């Protein structure tokens, strides 16, 4: 066995042993009402603004893909993760959802400083999905919070709108996620929005409109995103049911209505097209695949046991 293979075996064992310590009843003896307290706080925030849903979901993804699911994206240190261009568009309502859930837990004497910010984010993510009409699922708990957050660590760690299938698969595979997992997680684009600059090249390219883009849809996008548009203008990722967690995203791809290149390629590439068709025809199949994928995502790079700690404030180091 060569050194590279040995390293991979050791890494696989280390990763498996870390997330194996996660369990659904982790706070049973320390904060037994953790789920209901977080759910109540998330629901209250949701009633104030729908941005709570896509903001929290995207925050969880960005946190887990950089340094693992350790809430390091919350740290407000100099040159932190949130200062990287790929994170600057994260919605403030996502951060606020977790901070308010943390405050609700800390107002309970039994739960004060007992629940990690990383676990609160994982729970809040499940709760916003349910509030948007998506599936409920059990959340594994026991993550500890990271104390390191660097701008540099974000570089080349998050997928870009221009990615093709091989680039997406490579990036997700690095975290133990399969192509099916990647496609299911991409289905989260059934919620949320994007700014015009992220896809302008598809509607104002040198050769005109991207041929993989539905022309009528492209012309609608041009109306909403004229040249020199205000950069604050945002467009729904899902033009049909933007406030409902459903499989419409995949049905849109079948019609050439994927907003990003990285969306539409899932249908135009013959390797991923069958999965898109399966999810488009069955909301149940999509939901099941999404639950599997987001559970695996929640295990990425977790800190457990003595390797991490509970931060008293999600947004600042102790």
């Amino acid at each position: 066995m060569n050194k590279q293979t040995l390293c991979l075996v050791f890494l696989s064992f280390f990763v498996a042993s870390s997330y194996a310590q996660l369990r659904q009843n982790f706070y049973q003896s320390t904060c037994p009402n953790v789920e209901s307290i977080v759910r109540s706080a998330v629901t209250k925030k949701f009633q104030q603004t729908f941005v709570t849903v896509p903001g929290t979901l995207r925050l969880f993804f960005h946190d887990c893909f950089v340094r693992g699911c350790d809430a390091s994206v919350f740290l407000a240190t100099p040159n932190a993760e949130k200062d990287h261009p790929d994170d600057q568009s994260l919605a403030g309502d996502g951060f606020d959802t977790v901070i308010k859930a943390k405050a609700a837990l800390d107002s309970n004497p039994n739960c004060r400083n007992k629940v990690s910010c990383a676990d609160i984010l994982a729970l809040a993510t499940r709760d916003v999905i349910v509030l948007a009409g998506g599936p409920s699922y059990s959340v594994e708990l026991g993550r500890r919070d990271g104390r390191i957050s660097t701008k540099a660590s974000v570089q080349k760690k998050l997928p870009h709108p221009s990615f093709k299938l091989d680039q997406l698969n490579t990036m997700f595979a690095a975290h133990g996620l399969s192509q099916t997992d990647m496609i299911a997680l991409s289905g989260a684009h059934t919620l949320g929005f994007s700014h015009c600059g992220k896809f302008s090249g598809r509607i104002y390219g040198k050769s005109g409109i991207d041929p993989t883009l539905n022309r009528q849809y492209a012309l609608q996008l041009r109306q909403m995103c004229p040249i020199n548009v205000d950069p604050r203008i945002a467009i729904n990722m899902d033009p049909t049911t933007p406030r409902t967690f459903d499989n419409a995203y995949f049905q849109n791809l079948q019609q050439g209505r994927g907003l990003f290149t990285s969306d539409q390629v899932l249908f135009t590439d013959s390797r991923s097209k069958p999965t898109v068709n399966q999810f488009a025809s069955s909301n149940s199949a999509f939901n099941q695949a999404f639950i599997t994928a987001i559970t695996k995502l929640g295990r990425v790079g977790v800190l457990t046991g003595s390797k991490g700690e509970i931060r008293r404030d999600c947004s600042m180091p102790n």
Side-chain angles (χ1 to χ4, degrees), residues 27-283:
Y27 296 103
Q28 186 60 44
S29 61
T30 55
C31 180
N33 297 327
V34 58
E35 296 211 25
S36 61
I37 294 172
V38 171
R39 186 180 302 113
S40 177
V42 172
T43 301
K44 185 176 180 180
K45 176 68 180 178
F46 170 76
Q47 291 169 344
Q48 296 170 354
T49 172
F50 183 81
V51 180
T52 298
V53 178
T56 304
L57 182 52
R58 188 162 177 250
L59 188 61
F60 182 60
F61 181 86
H62 278 232
D63 181 52
C64 291
F65 257 49
V66 179
R67 306 191 67 89
C69 308
D70 65 348
S72 56
V73 71
F74 284 83
L75 289 172
T77 53
N79 292 312
E81 288 175 32
K82 63 170 67 176
D83 297 319
H84 190 279
D86 289 350
D87 278 346
Q88 287 177 348
S89 62
L90 289 171
D93 286 300
F95 291 96
D96 192 50
T97 299
V98 174
I99 290 170
K100 285 185 173 172
K102 165 73 168 168
L105 286 165
D106 286 350
S107 68
N108 184 315
N110 294 326
C111 300
R112 185 173 298 124
N113 296 328
K114 299 284 179 60
V115 184
S116 68
C117 301
D119 277 346
I120 296 172
L121 176 56
L123 287 168
T125 299
R126 186 270 313 276
D127 293 340
V128 296
I129 289 169
V130 173
L131 286 166
S136 184
Y137 54 92
S138 299
V139 178
E140 298 172 336
L141 301 169
R143 300 167 191 80
R144 299 298 181 177
D145 293 326
R147 291 181 55 80
I148 300 172
S149 181
T150 66
K151 183 177 177 180
S153 64
V154 182
Q155 193 68 21
K156 296 183 179 180
K157 288 299 193 325
L158 295 166
H160 280 209
S162 61
F163 272 15
K164 299 296 179 64
L165 188 66
D166 286 336
Q167 293 170 294
L168 291 167
N169 280 337
T170 298
M171 183 167 281
F172 279 70
H175 298 298
L177 297 163
S178 68
Q179 176 176 285
T180 300
D181 295 328
M182 179 272 291
I183 297 170
L185 289 170
S186 296
H189 282 176
T190 187
L191 303 167
F193 51 85
S194 172
H195 295 95
C196 298
K198 294 293 185 181
F199 57 87
S200 60
R202 298 191 72 205
I203 56 177
Y204 295 113
K206 291 181 180 179
S207 303
I209 294 171
D210 184 334
T212 66
L213 194 59
N214 178 294
R215 185 167 181 80
Q216 183 180 3
Y217 179 49
L219 293 176
Q220 291 173 348
L221 291 175
R222 281 187 169 187
Q223 287 185 329
M224 294 184 282
C225 295
I227 295 174
N228 298 324
V229 66
D230 185 332
R232 294 170 295 181
I233 297 296
I235 305 301
N236 289 326
M237 294 291 295
D238 177 351
T240 53
T241 57
R243 287 176 171 247
T244 304
F245 188 96
D246 56 19
N247 65 336
Y249 166 82
F250 300 101
Q251 296 167 357
N252 292 333
L253 296 186
Q254 291 176 319
Q255 299 167 20
R257 293 169 147 233
L259 192 61
F260 294 160
T261 296
S262 58
D263 293 314
Q264 195 59 49
V265 74
L266 302 181
F267 184 72
T268 57
D269 195 302
S270 61
R271 294 170 293 172
S272 48
K273 184 175 181 177
T275 305
V276 170
N277 287 337
Q278 179 192 17
F279 293 165
S281 64
S282 172
N283 196 56

